[in-house]
Amino acid sequence: MTRRRGRGQVPRVNSAYLIQLAVSAVAVGLMIGLAAWATRGRGAPPLDEATARRWLADEFPGREVESLWIATDGLGALAKSGDRALILTRVGDGYAARQIDWSKALAARAQDGRVRIALADVTAPKAVLALGVWPPKELAA
Amino acid sequence: MKGFDPVTLATPFFIITVILEIVLARFGALKAQYETKDTAVSLTMGLVSSVAGLLTAGASFAAAMWIYQHRLFTIPMTAIWAWILVFLLEDMTYYWFHRLSHERRFWWAAHVNHHSSQHYNLSTALRQTWTGGLAGTWALWLPLSLIGFPPAMVLIQKGVSLVYQYWIHTEAIRRLPRPIEAVFNTPSHHRVHHARNPRYLDRNYAGILIIWDRMFGTFQPELDEEACRYGLVHNLGTFNIVRVAFHEWIGMAQDIARQPRHILGWLFGAPGWTPDGSRDTSAKLKAEWAARQAATESEREAA
């Protein structure tokens, strides 16, 4: 937003440009601060079962949820759907959803009550879910 | 006209209106949803993109100047008809640039970050690419210089288009009067463009005039019965700005490294293309959605 161009000119870096860039950076900081103030105390509530099921239905239409585990901190969920694991992780006030083989989800181990599941995705490398004991006793081999 | 840059001139307007949207939404005076980290990513992407643009702007402008020296006609910058013509031709060029940026992975890799927010507000408009210049889409505007439009004139019109497209990134304006909705790209039309609902995917590529979508079969009105859900088909699981900026390039490189014999498909196939069809493309998601709709419809009729 700070380029200056004209007829027969190529963009160039000069002191005016640097001042413009610095002012823009200050303005960006101000707007981020304002957004933080405006949204304080208005974060998304912890994930509950109904919300998780709604998200899963939107993200994986047609997939039936057989079992659902909600993270104890309300920041995500994991569902079993046939041979697939459907995973929700909180991002800001929304969620990112991914699916992996159920066997890979089952093979993940819990440490300090948190399950770390590798998603092998550059945009969501891993899911860390506070699921307590994992795998659940009824599913553990 | 020397030194006239609509984007630079509009920057104070961008800042003031983002501030107004945040504050008015805070007090419930208009509809807008902000999230701090999401806003930080959008605004920082915008700031850095203005610097990143400098890296290739010189080369692209030099290319336009060279082409202009071999122009077919000499079009005066002072004629009103020339401005009307460049407005129409630049806007149609933008439509095809934008369509290409959604329908072929190489260019999607540069454009995807603009769509990566799960929110739709004025700050989303500023979530701009860092790699657009490297993707080379600026070459699509070179024919305008070959026809005979001075490169500075084309640059100004591109700036006007960018400024126009800023204000339509809002949920605060529901719908405008019908004649305006019929001709111009509006907040309603552009919400559809940013939506990830299968019905809305790959629609409304317009810059200023929505007529191109109507002409080329990509128009989709916003429907009251289907609210827009924003973001990507597979939303990002991180606010790491480097991942936001480069994730599709990295993913593409990983795919090519794994299966180099499919390099053309990985580069120029539709986003989500794979040799075995195991990932989701827009076309696949739309077809699945249409099949579900048809099944629901026949169940309803049977009942």
Side-chain angles (χ1 to χ4, degrees):
Chain A
M1 299 303 167
T2 48
R3 281 166 279 184
R4 181 165 287 281
R5 295 174 291 225
R7 179 152 41 181
Q9 283 183 317
V10 293
R12 61 171 185 256
V13 176
N14 54 26
S15 56
Y17 170 78
L18 292 174
I19 290 168
Q20 216 171 53
L21 192 63
V23 171
S24 297
V26 170
V28 164
L30 174 72
M31 289 185 281
I32 294 168
L34 201 60
W37 163 78
T39 55
R40 197 172 52 188
R42 296 182 171 201
L47 190 64
D48 58 25
E49 183 170 341
T51 309
R53 286 188 182 277
R54 199 168 59 243
W55 269 89
L56 291 168
D58 280 343
E59 297 288 337
F60 307 104
R63 279 221 161 259
E64 193 182 332
V65 172
E66 297 162 21
S67 307
L68 176 65
W69 296 269
I70 308 286
T72 54
D73 56 8
L75 296 179
L78 191 154
K80 183 176 187 310
S81 174
D83 60 353
R84 306 293 281 169
L86 314 180
I87 297 165
L88 291 177
T89 52
R90 171 76 64 84
V91 189
D93 53 2
Y95 291 89
R98 295 292 186 275
Q99 55 174 311
I100 59 170
D101 287 343
W102 173 250
S103 57
K104 286 182 182 167
L106 202 58
R109 288 289 171 264
Q111 195 176 5
D112 303 326
R114 293 183 177 276
V115 184
R116 286 170 175 75
I117 303 170
L119 300 177
D121 183 331
V122 69
T123 61
K126 65 180 176 191
V128 181
L129 299 172
L131 296 176
V133 178
W134 189 261
K137 283 173 191 163
E138 67 271 24
L139 295 176
Chain B
M1 285 290 179
K2 193 164 184 175
F4 180 74
D5 180 359
V7 178
T8 302
L9 288 175
T11 300
F13 165 75
F14 295 158
I15 295 167
I16 291 166
T17 48
V18 168
I19 289 171
L20 277 175
E21 192 179 49
I22 293 172
V23 172
L24 291 176
R26 173 68 179 80
F27 293 110
L30 56 76
K31 186 183 177 191
Q33 253 198 309
Y34 276 82
E35 199 279 334
T36 308
K37 287 181 182 174
D38 175 85
T39 306
V41 169
S42 293
L43 297 178
T44 309
M45 289 294 297
L47 185 68
V48 177
S49 85
S50 70
V51 180
L54 285 178
L55 299 176
T56 51
S60 62
F61 194 78
M65 288 302 289
W66 185 82
I67 295 274
Y68 184 64
Q69 284 167 14
H70 301 84
R71 62 191 176 273
L72 301 174
F73 308 100
T74 296
I75 297 172
M77 242 176 124
T78 47
I80 290 173
W81 64 264
W83 282 102
I84 294 170
L85 202 56
V86 79
F87 166 74
L88 292 171
L89 290 176
E90 193 284 329
D91 203 47
M92 189 173 71
T93 305
Y94 181 87
Y95 169 87
W96 285 106
F97 145 76
H98 200 185
R99 189 164 173 176
L100 182 72
S101 297
H102 276 262
E103 296 184 358
R104 299 293 136 204
R105 192 184 187 188
F106 183 79
W107 295 287
W108 173 241
H111 185 62
V112 59
N113 61 261
H114 178 63
H115 287 270
S116 62
S117 172
Q118 293 193 41
H119 292 275
Y120 189 77
N121 53 47
L122 291 175
S123 80
T124 313
L126 305 175
R127 186 180 278 234
Q128 292 288 325
T129 180
W130 294 358
T131 55
L134 295 172
T137 41
W138 48 266
L140 294 172
W141 278 265
L142 293 179
L144 298 182
S145 298
L146 181 65
I147 292 170
F149 292 102
M153 192 177 188
V154 178
L155 269 182
I156 289 169
Q157 189 52 44
K158 282 178 80 173
V160 168
S161 177
L162 196 63
V163 172
Y164 178 88
Q165 290 175 59
Y166 166 76
W167 74 273
I168 59 178
H169 289 83
T170 185
E171 292 189 294
I173 298 169
R174 196 165 171 274
R175 291 219 173 79
L176 294 168
R178 286 178 75 172
I180 295 174
E181 295 282 348
V183 177
F184 290 96
N185 195 9
T186 62
S188 174
H189 297 328
H190 206 58
R191 282 195 289 272
V192 166
H193 177 68
H194 273 257
R196 55 197 290 263
N197 317 41
R199 185 204 294 256
Y200 292 152
L201 286 175
D202 285 356
R203 289 292 179 263
N204 299 2
Y205 295 117
I208 297 177
L209 299 173
I210 199 70
I211 58 170
W212 311 117
D213 284 289
R214 294 182 189 277
M215 279 170 62
F216 299 123
T218 49
F219 177 68
Q220 168 66 50
E222 185 181 29
L223 303 170
D224 290 335
E225 64 268 27
E226 183 153 355
C228 294
R229 293 183 289 115
Y230 303 110
L232 302 173
V233 166
H234 300 294
N235 274 319
L236 304 186
T238 177
F239 287 115
N240 180 323
I241 199 163
V242 176
R243 282 188 192 269
V244 174
F246 298 109
H247 67 86
E248 192 67 25
W249 293 110
I250 296 167
M252 197 158 59
Q254 288 174 338
D255 287 334
I256 292 168
R258 206 172 52 250
Q259 290 180 305
R261 72 192 176 95
H262 292 296
I263 185 169
L264 289 177
W266 292 126
L267 285 173
F268 303 117
W273 177 89
T274 55
D276 61 359
S278 59
R279 295 184 199 161
D280 297 327
T281 61
S282 287
K284 184 179 168 191
L285 290 167
K286 279 175 162 318
E288 288 172 355
W289 171 81
R292 284 196 304 275
Q293 290 292 108
T296 310
E297 199 62 38
S298 47
E299 273 173 26
R300 198 176 296 151
E301 277 170 19

